[in-house]
Amino acid sequence: MKVRGESQAKRVSLLSYALRVGAILLAAILGWLVYEWLTWPDVPSLASENPKSTAFIERYRTRASADPSLPALQWQWADYAEISVHVKRAAVVAEDIEFFSHSGFSRAEIAAAVREAFKEREAPRGASTITQQTAKNLWLSPSRNLLRKVKEAILTRQLERWLTKQRILEIYLNVAEFGPGIFGVETAARHYFGIPAGELDQREAALLAASLPRPATWNPGSDSPYYLAYAEEIARRMDMADFLWKYVMSPETAQ
């Protein structure tokens, strides 16, 4: 009887402990949800208001303040109509050829990433669309943890719901990094070519688009043969993607 009583007491103690742990975890989850709700970005406001800063800009600003050897941050906004049509075409063919036809996520890219991961037995690559990259640049971090990817997915859906395709592309081109401390296509155009973004030709646009995957080392100030070859490839893709002209130029078809 004594052994049975001790066994029952242990079970009660373990149950009580499990309940306490469960209550703590539930409270932590609820607290996190409340925090996320209170600090969640106001996505609809971006339909008419330009962002005052971005997570990536602030991240670079912090790094630059701690490391004087880094170039000073530069950022200048350009409205959609002030950006060369060649830059818009170059960004889409380089980063997300399905941009004007998907709702935030590219099924073809996701499937390709999964096939590649299965073949290489590694975690899937990003397969990020322009909308996903915009969400990440505006509000998130470069990390690839699951929680960040979930937030990115929700914010991507919200961007696609509240903003037109042209507006998403406008924001993307204005917050993307084109070199150390060089944020936005207007800044990049003036820094590398000495002209405003609206005057960029196809070659210059391809050079800027080629810098998007790795702006720290691939930018118009670099003589990397791989970077230059990639820029030439982007220019070739632009010549083949004639259908993009109507999307990047017409507000009606870009929605």
Side-chain angles (χ1 to χ4, degrees):
M1 292 293 292
K2 183 178 180 181
V3 173
R4 181 180 298 177
E6 290 178 351
S7 177
Q8 184 175 2
K10 286 182 179 179
R11 286 198 296 270
V12 171
S13 177
L14 287 173
L15 178 60
S16 176
Y17 175 77
L19 289 174
R20 287 198 300 271
V21 171
I24 293 172
L25 288 175
L26 180 60
I29 292 171
L30 289 175
W32 173 78
L33 289 173
V34 170
Y35 171 80
E36 289 293 335
W37 180 73
L38 291 174
T39 59
W40 197 258
D42 182 8
V43 178
S45 69
L46 287 178
S48 57
E49 299 176 11
N50 296 334
K52 301 296 188 295
S53 186
T54 75
F56 273 51
I57 285 175
E58 291 307 313
R59 180 170 170 268
Y60 184 87
R61 198 189 305 275
T62 300
R63 289 172 52 214
S65 64
D67 184 356
S69 67
L70 289 176
L73 186 145
Q74 301 179 58
W75 186 35
Q76 184 175 350
W77 190 273
D79 292 336
Y80 191 84
E82 299 172 334
I83 301 173
S84 166
V85 67
H86 299 301
V87 178
K88 301 163 190 174
R89 294 168 53 234
V92 172
V93 301
E95 296 293 297
D96 184 7
I97 192 64
E98 298 176 278
F99 175 66
F100 288 104
S101 60
H102 63 57
S103 58
F105 305 93
S106 170
R107 293 182 179 179
E109 282 297 312
I110 292 173
V114 172
R115 286 196 301 270
E116 182 179 312
F118 179 78
K119 184 177 180 181
E120 301 295 333
R121 297 184 180 180
E122 295 179 351
R125 57 186 171 85
S128 294
T129 64
I130 283 176
T131 313
Q132 288 174 275
Q133 292 181 54
T134 303
K136 181 179 70 174
N137 286 345
L138 284 172
W139 301 298
L140 304 172
S141 72
S143 69
R144 299 180 63 181
N145 65 71
L146 180 60
L147 180 58
R148 191 203 54 85
K149 295 300 289 184
V150 169
K151 292 175 68 174
E152 178 187 293
I154 296 172
L155 289 166
T156 296
R157 285 297 189 193
Q158 289 186 305
L159 284 170
E160 289 282 342
R161 176 185 179 186
W162 294 106
L163 278 59
T164 66
K165 287 289 190 178
Q166 280 194 332
R167 179 59 173 163
I168 294 171
L169 184 57
E170 175 188 354
I171 294 174
Y172 173 70
L173 290 172
N174 274 288
V175 302
E177 187 177 9
F178 292 92
I182 307 299
F183 287 87
V185 65
E186 180 70 20
T187 307
R190 294 182 182 277
H191 179 81
Y192 295 115
F193 306 113
I195 56 176
E199 296 181 11
L200 292 166
D201 60 24
Q202 179 162 311
R203 175 184 171 276
E204 293 161 343
L207 286 168
L208 288 179
S211 72
L212 290 168
R214 49 184 73 175
T217 55
W218 280 16
N219 55 64
S222 167
D223 58 0
S224 163
Y226 300 103
Y227 159 69
L228 296 174
Y230 182 45
E232 291 179 3
E233 172 62 23
I234 290 173
R236 285 193 292 270
R237 293 184 201 172
M238 292 169 71
D239 288 334
M240 294 186 291
D242 288 339
F243 71 93
L244 283 178
W245 284 98
K246 65 176 182 179
Y247 288 107
V248 297
M249 296 184 70
S250 170
E252 291 78 15
T253 55
Q255 294 184 18

